[in-house]
Amino acid sequence: MKFTKMQGLGNDYIYINCFEEQVTKPEELAVQLSDRHFGVGSDGLILICPSEVADFKMQMYNSDGSHGEMCGNGIRCIGKYVYDYGLTEKEHISVETLAGIKELDLLVEEGKVVQVRVDMGSPIFVTKDFPVCMEHESVINRTIKVKGLVFHLTCVSMGNPHAVIFLEENEVLPDRLEELALKEIGPGFEHHEIFPNRINTEFVKVIDQNTVQMRVWERGSGETMACGTGACAVAVACILHGFTEDKVTVRLLGGDLEIEWDREKNTVYMTGAAVTVFDGEIRSILESV
């Protein structure tokens, strides 16, 4: 089985072209291939499939085998893959996801996609749509207790759920993101009882009105170098709180994403790079899946 490893700001996935390959047990395959010692090594597996309602369909699996609704960095890499590998000649494409159909604009230079702008759709705040088991209709600057500590958080769904934690609003956190013990605190949010489907958690430091810094704990993967939907959720939360303008540069461990919330259209746009790492072929690992 042929595959391509790609990354968006260090958020790396294994891509399989299901126009040519057949994957029967994607959950098991995601776990085995994502292992960084005994597999290829990645944050998960993404299948590029035919769609009856869009140009392409994305199926995304985290490194623990769980099925994700949407991946911002992953969908940008799909845009690069389908153009660079000749599945389309169009520079505007649509991709079906569990979070709806997403529209992508491809920036092409010398015959290759170098950057992708994605219409990520409207942010969601209603708790029953996440779900978040709180009595409030929305969770904007509400409190939660994790490992005996009280945190203020804002919840935003971009097709998948996110909890945004600002360092400025939480005295229990250090002043610098680099000092945050994310491996200790991240699982407490991911598996908290108020999030029955688990949650992605972003910890944010506001730099200025146009720039923020974040680290992310992704459900099913742990800390990753970047999270596209997380960056969108962070930008929306920053704008809601009055911390930034409507266009925000979000600095992640793997690089920067440009996020814009067009509040008139109630649509979030994400722009960032997509990179092909290498192509390969899977053989012996398939015997057990």
Side-chain angles (χ1 to χ4, degrees):
M1 178 182 291
K2 294 180 180 178
F3 72 92
T4 298
K5 182 167 178 176
M6 307 183 78
Q7 57 92 2
L9 306 187
N11 194 193
D12 57 341
Y13 290 91
I14 297 160
Y15 289 78
I16 295 178
N17 177 0
C18 290
F19 287 82
E20 299 178 355
E21 306 284 357
Q22 183 176 1
V23 178
T24 57
K25 299 179 181 179
E27 297 88 352
E28 296 178 28
L29 189 62
V31 173
Q32 293 200 32
L33 294 185
S34 296
D35 191 290
R36 297 188 185 275
H37 298 287
F38 298 100
V40 177
S42 71
D43 291 324
L45 171 70
I46 292 180
L47 308 182
I48 305 172
C49 307
S51 171
E52 295 182 356
V53 295
D55 294 318
F56 302 96
K57 180 178 180 179
M58 177 176 82
Q59 294 187 17
M60 176 261 184
Y61 299 86
N62 295 304
S63 60
D64 68 351
S66 58
H67 201 177
E69 299 95 336
M70 173 59 182
C71 175
N73 293 312
I75 201 170
R76 291 201 316 278
C77 289
I78 282 186
K80 179 174 177 62
Y81 184 101
V82 297
Y83 188 92
D84 288 5
Y85 286 82
L87 275 67
T88 185
E89 295 180 351
K90 298 192 297 184
E91 296 182 15
H92 178 89
I93 64 170
S94 58
V95 179
E96 177 189 356
T97 76
L98 289 180
I101 297 174
K102 306 301 179 185
E103 303 288 332
L104 282 63
D105 290 304
L106 314 179
L107 175 60
V108 178
E109 294 181 0
E110 299 180 355
K112 301 290 184 181
V113 172
V114 295
Q115 199 169 58
V116 181
R117 184 176 190 256
V118 185
D119 180 341
M120 299 289 285
S122 302
I124 299 168
F125 307 102
V126 180
T127 51
K128 67 180 179 63
D129 294 334
F130 280 70
V132 181
C133 297
M134 276 190 172
E135 60 184 8
H136 313 289
E137 183 176 349
S138 63
V139 180
I140 299 175
N141 199 22
R142 300 291 185 180
T143 59
I144 182 177
K145 183 176 286 188
V146 177
K147 293 190 173 182
L149 300 175
V150 176
F151 295 87
H152 293 264
L153 79 164
T154 293
C155 291
V156 181
S157 174
M158 292 302 306
N160 57 352
H162 295 271
V164 180
I165 316 291
F166 291 101
L167 267 58
E168 290 80 0
E169 294 180 340
N170 291 276
E171 296 180 357
V172 297
L173 294 175
D175 293 332
R176 299 173 68 247
L177 280 176
E178 294 81 359
E179 299 172 355
L180 181 66
L182 192 51
K183 287 185 179 180
E184 297 178 10
I185 197 170
F189 284 91
E190 178 182 358
H191 299 284
H192 197 283
E193 60 184 8
I194 72 167
F195 305 121
N197 293 341
R198 298 188 292 170
I199 201 159
N200 307 285
T201 309
E202 287 77 31
F203 296 85
V204 184
K205 176 72 174 179
V206 178
I207 307 301
D208 55 44
Q209 285 192 314
N210 301 105
T211 313
V212 300
Q213 180 187 8
M214 68 170 258
R215 288 175 65 185
V216 57
W217 183 268
E218 291 199 57
R219 59 176 181 174
S221 295
E223 183 172 18
T224 58
M225 297 287 287
C227 177
T229 55
C232 293
V234 163
V236 168
C238 287
I239 295 163
L240 282 177
H241 284 255
F243 293 150
T244 66
E245 304 292 341
D246 290 357
K247 294 183 179 181
V248 185
T249 297
V250 182
R251 294 178 179 171
L252 306 103
L253 294 179
D256 295 351
L257 286 174
E258 302 300 325
I259 311 296
E260 178 184 359
W261 184 14
D262 185 333
R263 286 196 268 184
E264 183 175 339
K265 296 180 179 179
N266 194 26
T267 296
V268 179
Y269 296 96
M270 171 192 65
T271 303
V275 178
T276 299
V277 182
F278 61 83
D279 297 310
E281 187 172 354
I282 309 160
R283 293 183 179 177
S284 60
I285 198 169
L286 292 176
E287 296 174 0
S288 60
V289 294

